[in-house]
Amino acid sequence: MKQLKETAQKIKSMEIRGAGKIARVAAAQLRDRSTRIETRNIEEFNREMKQAARLLVNTRPTAVSLPNAVRAVMRYEGDSVEEAKASIKELADGFILNSENAVRKIGEIGARRVRDGDTIMTHCNSSAAISIMAAAHDDGKNIHVLATESRPRWQGHLTVKQLDEKGIKTSLIVDSAVRYFMKEVDLVVMGADAVTANGSVINKIGTSQLALAAHEARKNVIIAAETYKFSPRSLLGELIEIEERSSSEVLADDKLKEFSNVSVKNPAFDVTPREYIDLICTEVGAIPPEMAYIIIRECLGWELGDMGKMNI
Ligand code: RUB
């Protein structure tokens, strides 16, 4: 359990972060955990796996990719521990491979919406969004990216580093400059932690005001999201929990202690209504947000059936 607990801690502290990465790491951890369980008793094995699954799911509440990945692996079958382990390996490896392919495919599909000479605004650090920009650049399109800092955790610094390594011209801007620069923007490309049945997108705090500014300026907003970021549970009316992170990410504890009447609010994500989103670019195609329900039914249908009995 030690390795799994360490990884869970890294996800909590955001050393491992980004919805896609968290999902792939969780799948790999379940696979690796299964190989280290020594019992030959299948019931005991199943109990241990459930415990591992719960630990991973409880690390961060917002990214739906995490429970979706865990459930994808926890669908394993087998009457013996041997069979169960083989099934887990197949499901986990399959999920990871599909996920990597999905990010690549999203790049290919999304790049078609980028024109030569476009200025693209992005927020936070999304591997799926970067895949679109990188694919457009590889297609020979000359693009310029405006990347927000994404306070308080500065994921924008990761974005500019990754774009720089690909040779893409990028400007780092403060989060509050989004509307100021919107007139220069041709296209907004961002990622997602979750997409609900009604087409709302949950992503890094600030995404919704960026989308609102883009909507006001009549600029297109593309969300890059693999299908496993869509929330089957939202179909049952469940709301996506917005993670509230430590105040110390915004203001150091000793500074905060100097005040008597001040508190810090630090939600990590926000909800962008579908009205502000033009397209959600998935690995199975670029869809209007209104079609989110279809993706849930077609691509995650199994999850609905399993929801009751998975119990993790
Ligand atoms: C990351 C974030 C990203 C999405 C999509 O938040 O909001 O935009 O997770 O990323 P955090 P990807 O840094 O708090 O994890 O496309 O890489 O899955």
Side-chain angles (χ1 to χ4, degrees), residues 14 17-22 60 123-129 155 191-193 203-204 226 229 269:
M14 291 173 58
R17 51 149 298 283
K21 179 82 180 284
I22 294 172
R60 293 194 77 188
H123 185 52
C124 194
N125 177 251
S126 157
S127 42
Q155 289 94 332
D193 276 75
N203 192 47
K204 183 53 53 196
E226 305 91 295
K229 290 175 180 165
F269 300 96

Side-chain angles (χ1 to χ4, degrees), residues 93-297:
D93 289 348
F95 180 87
I96 294 165
L97 188 68
N98 282 343
S99 164
E100 286 163 354
N101 286 338
V103 174
R104 204 170 26 251
K105 188 85 196 153
I106 285 171
E108 274 169 40
I109 295 174
R112 299 199 183 105
R113 306 295 296 224
V114 178
R115 292 161 308 176
D116 189 29
D118 271 0
T119 294
I120 298 173
M121 187 178 277
T122 192
H123 185 52
C124 194
N125 177 251
S126 157
S127 42
I130 287 181
S131 179
I132 292 179
M133 296 179 253
H137 174 76
D138 290 346
D139 286 348
K141 292 170 188 166
N142 180 24
I143 58 168
H144 174 225
V145 178
L146 292 164
T148 58
E149 288 178 313
S150 312
R151 293 189 190 196
R153 293 297 297 261
W154 312 95
Q155 289 94 332
H157 290 189
L158 297 172
T159 297
V160 297
K161 182 171 184 286
Q162 288 163 11
L163 293 174
D164 181 61
E165 282 164 3
K166 293 181 192 305
I168 298 174
K169 284 194 203 69
T170 309
S171 304
L172 184 66
I173 62 170
V174 299
D175 298 340
S176 42
V178 153
R179 190 161 177 260
Y180 177 86
F181 283 111
M182 194 52 78
K183 54 188 171 302
E184 296 177 19
V185 170
D186 299 293
L187 190 64
V188 173
V189 181
M190 299 183 284
D193 276 75
V195 182
T196 65
N198 69 1
S200 297
V201 167
I202 292 87
N203 192 47
K204 183 53 53 196
I205 190 78
T207 298
S208 71
Q209 64 189 15
L210 203 159
L212 177 62
H215 184 74
E216 179 202 38
R218 296 170 197 271
K219 305 295 169 77
N220 282 340
V221 174
I222 294 183
I223 297 293
E226 305 91 295
T227 51
Y228 54 80
K229 290 175 180 165
F230 287 62
S231 167
R233 282 168 185 248
S234 67
L235 213 50
L236 303 181
E238 215 172 87
L239 295 175
I240 307 285
E241 183 183 339
I242 301 292
E243 179 182 10
E244 178 76 30
R245 292 190 61 87
S246 165
S247 63
S248 62
E249 291 186 343
V250 180
L251 191 64
D253 288 342
D254 51 345
K255 277 271 169 210
L256 186 57
K257 277 196 198 111
E258 289 172 14
F259 305 116
S260 324
N261 303 303
V262 176
S263 65
V264 170
K265 294 184 190 300
N266 185 21
F269 300 96
D270 65 20
V271 183
T272 302
R274 69 172 185 219
E275 291 77 24
Y276 303 148
I277 298 161
D278 295 285
L279 215 57
I280 302 179
C281 197
T282 77
E283 72 275 21
V284 295
I287 59 157
E290 289 76 8
M291 269 176 68
Y293 169 77
I294 311 275
I295 294 286
I296 294 173
R297 290 242 63 119

